[in-house]
Amino acid sequence: MATIIPLDKFQEELSSYIELSSAALGGKVTSVSDEFFAEAANLIKVEPAPSMKGQFGPNGALYSGWETRRHNQASDWCIIQLGTPGYVFVLDIDTSHFNGNEAPEASVESCFSDGDDIPTASSNQWMEILPRSALGPNARHLFRLPSTYTGTKFNYIKLNMFPDGGIARFRLYGLVAVILPKAMSQLLDLAHVFSGGRVVFTSNQHFGIGSNLILPGRGKDMGDGWETKRSREKEHKDWVIIRLGHLGTLEFVEIDTNHFKGNYPESCELHACNSEELVPNVTADQWIQILPRQRLGPHRQHFFQLENVACNQFTHVRVIIYPDGGIKRVRIMGRCAAIQEVECGDSGITMQRASGQRVETCASPAKELMVRANKPAGQRIIALPLTAEAFAPFGQVLMAWKDPTSVPKGVEVTSANQGTAYKFHKLSHIESSYPPYKKADARFSVYRSSPAGAKAGGEWDVKILERHPHTNQAFIPMGSSGGTQEDELQEAGRAYLVIVALNGHDDLPYLPSLRAFVAVASQGIVYNTGIWHHPMLTVDTAIDFTCVETQIGYGDKLDCEVVDLAECPIISIPNM
């Protein structure tokens, strides 16, 4: 028999489970017996049911939930397809705001159906997991299922109400049946809910719950992200701990602040550890910093290369935000470690053992996945989309923003040209530290840059880097009209590589700081004075660039220094 969970134990009992029925996960209603007063699709909405007291439609009073006609002689039912197959542990039947018209009783059945075979109400596949149980008005009812059912994978749920009435929300909490790539060496989001990721601890989730961070897609508004309350303490921070779906090696992270404009965090940092516990109980020095504190911007995706991850494998990642605010999604990109299947007692659930560590995720990985990820020799870096925040240690990004309210902090935006344009002020400035007697001057030049073999989906060996010790340098892509002018490019490229490194103590490029970015043709870049960088390199197609710099000219050594690299880092260029 199912056991009732007191509502005040909700956080303690369910905080690390996934809401398998949610529309945010792809859940949908496939059929329903009746929805005269309120549609069954409301059952799986992300947001809690609001009160609609005093509002009426053509069929009567409005409710955010599922409500059927009166005087049913038997029962009403609703069939829901889960967003992904999974293992159900807890049912939440919520009758909020239904008072006098709530469903008096409910039962739940489940099944697994392959392919396009959508079960009907009369299908013989259904297995009862919650017998007919009493419901009360305007209340949540939490039922923990017995272990008899928690080891069985389901992807369809049938909610029955007796005899009729209203239910506001219906939520199923459990773990997903993990979706694995065919090749263990494939790059994937190890934190994603479909990979078996779980948010196992949240310091605060006043406005939006932490488990939203690992959902598919980029969401629809601030309501389906993680948002903390405002802090009033100096040096305050909030954090979440994500248990990865698999022990793995990590490469880069995406921090998405989509829809968070005036309430995004000022900055974030990441730490990772390897622990067999659901919530790691490890010492501070066992949390390895994999991303130093980085500034964040409003309403955008940020991509950061991770540090201190070479030759390390992790099970958990801690995301810290300063001082508070909201994040929509976190993507932890990496590769799975070797996995072994083990049976876990009488539950019937297949667990995974990765490199000697027990990683508790409900999954049945195929035998073809029993291989170890390739470990490439030498330094390999994935070229990430160019963002102002990630490029900040090396220079500035020159671009316009679609939404003037989502520009980086400190950028002034004004209307210009009699209201026909927006002006984004002072994105960069011209620097020069040449000796006065050299008579260097600022000038414009044009570079016609060819791909030189750099192709989307390919690789590039970084053999040389250069720097300009006395000036910064800007490159701004120029477009093409398609060859209407004799001297222009017949087709202008859409993307180019930006490869940069900081200076080391030996006054040479510090290769651990090497970063690679993919810039698009609507973005210009400014290299800070003295920043090591690769010569301009377009992807697939040539691009004309306007270059703005201060220069002596005539091959003067103060203009440019070039170094050959003894060991060539390899840049992986993404498909575009």
Side-chain angles (χ1 to χ4, degrees):
M1 291 290 291
T3 56
I4 296 175
I5 301 174
L7 190 56
D8 60 2
K9 298 291 185 182
F10 177 84
Q11 183 71 16
E12 176 184 332
E13 294 271 349
L14 304 179
S15 61
S16 65
Y17 287 146
I18 305 299
E19 187 185 333
L20 297 172
S21 53
S22 173
L25 212 64
K28 61 182 180 181
V29 173
T30 60
S31 58
V32 61
S33 62
D34 183 86
E35 49 185 350
F36 184 81
F37 290 110
E39 295 181 355
N42 291 322
L43 289 170
I44 56 176
K45 285 184 174 179
V46 174
E47 64 274 12
S51 171
M52 303 181 75
K53 187 175 181 180
Q55 300 182 51
F56 291 85
N59 289 353
L62 298 181
Y63 286 87
S64 180
W66 171 42
E67 186 181 7
T68 66
R69 292 176 173 87
R70 295 186 182 222
H71 311 310
N72 194 353
Q73 298 302 310
S75 64
D76 281 309
W77 51 264
C78 171
I79 297 176
I80 298 169
Q81 182 179 6
L82 305 185
T84 184
Y87 305 86
V88 180
F89 291 82
V90 176
L91 305 175
D92 181 358
I93 304 177
D94 181 1
T95 59
S96 290
H97 310 298
F98 286 98
N99 191 344
N101 56 345
E102 76 281 355
E105 295 178 303
S107 71
V108 179
E109 301 170 83
S110 63
C111 72
F112 183 85
S113 182
D114 281 321
D116 298 326
D117 183 19
I118 300 176
T120 64
S122 59
S123 296
N124 57 10
Q125 302 164 269
W126 296 111
M127 175 177 70
E128 186 176 73
I129 58 175
L130 179 72
R132 194 162 166 170
S133 302
L135 304 178
N138 194 31
R140 293 176 64 184
H141 309 79
L142 305 177
F143 301 96
R144 176 173 286 282
L145 300 182
S147 59
T148 312
Y149 306 121
T150 56
T152 304
K153 181 170 66 175
F154 303 126
N155 62 347
Y156 284 92
I157 294 290
K158 182 184 175 189
L159 172 63
N160 305 299
M161 67 163 75
F162 301 91
D164 51 48
I167 296 174
R169 295 291 186 266
F170 179 50
R171 307 190 191 279
L172 285 74
Y173 295 96
L175 300 177
V176 303
V178 178
I179 301 172
L180 293 170
K182 290 186 177 181
M184 291 292 290
S185 60
Q186 181 177 328
L187 188 70
L188 78 157
D189 178 7
L190 291 169
H192 198 286
V193 62
F194 290 167
S195 298
R198 299 164 66 183
V199 173
V200 296
F201 180 84
T202 311
S203 65
N204 182 275
Q205 47 187 356
H206 189 82
F207 293 109
I209 60 174
S211 58
N212 287 336
L213 290 172
I214 59 175
L215 292 177
R218 300 188 65 203
K220 64 185 181 74
D221 53 37
M222 287 190 298
D224 55 8
W226 170 51
E227 185 180 2
T228 68
K229 66 181 180 181
R230 293 188 186 224
S231 62
R232 306 300 180 186
E233 302 172 3
K234 191 174 182 180
E235 295 301 317
H236 181 83
K237 61 184 178 182
D238 282 310
W239 67 95
V240 296
I241 298 176
I242 300 172
R243 188 178 194 181
L244 305 178
H246 303 272
L247 182 80
T249 58
L250 309 182
E251 298 192 17
F252 68 91
V253 63
E254 175 192 337
I255 305 292
D256 189 356
T257 57
N258 194 30
H259 300 119
F260 291 98
K261 298 179 181 179
N263 52 351
Y264 62 95
E266 179 270 337
S267 57
C268 74
E269 67 179 272
L270 270 65
H271 301 81
C273 74
N274 192 326
S275 172
E276 295 188 17
E277 299 169 296
L278 181 64
V279 181
N281 182 22
V282 298
T283 59
D285 62 347
Q286 289 177 286
W287 283 106
I288 299 173
Q289 186 182 68
I290 59 174
L291 182 71
R293 191 165 172 176
Q294 301 282 340
R295 283 193 174 275
L296 297 177
H299 190 50
R300 68 170 56 85
Q301 293 164 285
H302 307 75
F303 300 89
F304 300 106
Q305 196 77 36
L306 298 177
E307 303 178 5
N308 304 318
V309 292
C311 303
N312 283 321
Q313 296 178 337
F314 301 104
T315 59
H316 294 76
V317 171
R318 182 175 64 191
V319 181
I320 302 175
I321 60 172
Y322 296 94
D324 52 46
I327 292 177
K328 179 55 67 74
R329 300 288 184 264
V330 173
R331 308 295 186 204
I332 310 293
M333 304 304 295
R335 305 175 197 274
C336 295
I339 294 176
Q340 297 175 346
E341 293 186 0
V342 292
E343 291 295 326
C344 297
D346 300 325
S347 69
I349 299 177
T350 301
M351 312 298 265
Q352 300 168 1
R353 190 180 301 277
S355 298
Q357 299 288 338
R358 180 169 179 251
V359 182
E360 179 188 322
T361 47
C362 297
S364 300
K367 296 186 184 301
E368 64 186 358
L369 299 178
M370 308 289 285
V371 296
R372 191 175 294 275
N374 294 328
K375 291 186 177 180
Q379 187 179 13
R380 283 180 178 267
I381 295 175
I382 296 175
L384 302 178
L386 178 67
T387 63
E389 291 75 20
F391 192 64
F394 311 100
Q396 298 80 45
V397 177
L398 307 177
M399 60 179 287
W401 284 264
K402 180 180 178 180
D403 183 353
T405 65
S406 66
V407 300
K409 191 173 182 178
V411 174
E412 180 186 1
V413 185
T414 61
S415 177
N417 298 345
Q418 293 75 48
T420 63
Y422 283 112
K423 181 178 179 180
F424 302 90
H425 292 257
K426 300 179 181 179
L427 299 181
S428 185
H429 58 276
I430 299 174
E431 292 179 351
S432 175
S433 60
Y434 283 95
Y437 69 88
K438 283 292 187 177
K439 298 182 179 179
D441 59 355
R443 61 186 68 179
F444 294 86
S445 306
V446 172
Y447 284 68
R448 176 158 287 179
S449 299
S450 64
K455 296 184 179 297
E459 294 181 337
W460 183 261
D461 293 352
V462 181
K463 298 177 181 179
I464 66 169
L465 291 174
E466 65 179 47
R467 70 174 175 181
H468 306 279
H470 294 283
T471 182
N472 59 355
Q473 189 181 40
F475 285 91
I476 304 165
M478 299 165 59
S480 169
S481 65
T484 60
Q485 299 295 320
E486 181 178 354
D487 294 318
E488 73 171 334
L489 293 170
Q490 297 298 305
E491 179 185 0
R494 296 183 300 162
Y496 59 101
L497 288 181
V498 179
I499 303 169
V500 287
L502 300 176
N503 196 42
H505 295 300
D506 55 0
D507 205 30
L508 290 171
Y510 180 56
L511 291 185
S513 72
L514 190 79
R515 297 290 183 267
F517 302 94
V518 177
V520 296
S522 60
Q523 294 175 308
I525 51 103
V526 181
Y527 297 118
N528 282 344
T529 301
I531 285 294
W532 293 100
H533 60 274
H534 193 280
M536 298 305 294
L537 188 63
T538 64
V539 179
D540 292 331
T541 311
I543 298 178
D544 289 341
F545 292 92
T546 295
C547 176
V548 184
E549 63 186 342
T550 304
Q551 194 176 46
I552 299 169
Y554 311 108
D556 195 292
K557 293 182 179 180
L558 292 182
D559 282 337
C560 185
E561 299 174 4
V562 180
V563 296
D564 295 314
L565 301 183
E567 295 185 7
C568 301
I570 300 172
I571 306 300
S572 296
I573 308 170
N575 288 308
M576 300 178 191

